[in-house]
Amino acid sequence: MALSDTFPFEITEIPAENISEEFEDRRFTIQTVPGAAVGGHSYTDLFQAFGFSGNGASWSEHIQAIVEEEEPELFDHIEFDNEGNTFLAYADSREATERFTALLCPLFTDFDKLRRHFSLLDSEDFFE
């Protein structure tokens, strides 16, 4: 079951029968394909305009920096695990996904806000 209004993130609940003991905290996936676009704007182009790669690891690095600054306790509930060009994370609860999207969707759905955010960063401080 996917949660709505989470663009550019797709949140999917993992069926109980697919949750292993080893990964019992992985109840929800949070993912996106960084090459996605909104309103005629490409996320990849925007990332690259500011010296960032725009791949899944780049998204993860920026998102982790925002979480660290704004709501570090989310790290207790979100596990980051990237796959190439796809940003991928796991959450242990619906509440964690709601906190994640409440924090990040307003920034990542507004290209002007995201552009301003990137303009305040030094690309030398990031690996991707």
Side-chain angles (χ1 to χ4, degrees), residues 43 46-48 50 52 62 108 113-123:
Y43 285 102
L46 183 59
F47 271 78
Q48 290 176 353
F50 287 92
F52 309 113
H62 285 278
F108 280 89
K113 282 184 185 177
L114 192 55
R115 189 176 289 109
R116 279 192 301 277
H117 170 76
F118 285 155
S119 73
L120 299 173
L121 303 175
D122 181 350
S123 64

Side-chain angles (χ1 to χ4, degrees), residues 30-73:
I30 305 169
Q31 60 185 351
T32 190
V33 177
V38 64
H41 300 284
S42 160
Y43 285 102
T44 301
D45 290 346
L46 183 59
F47 271 78
Q48 290 176 353
F50 287 92
F52 309 113
S53 73
N55 65 15
S58 182
W59 277 65
S60 183
E61 191 173 21
H62 285 278
I63 288 169
Q64 289 182 54
I66 293 165
V67 170
E68 178 68 35
E69 185 173 316
E70 301 292 330
E71 198 170 343
E73 57 279 356

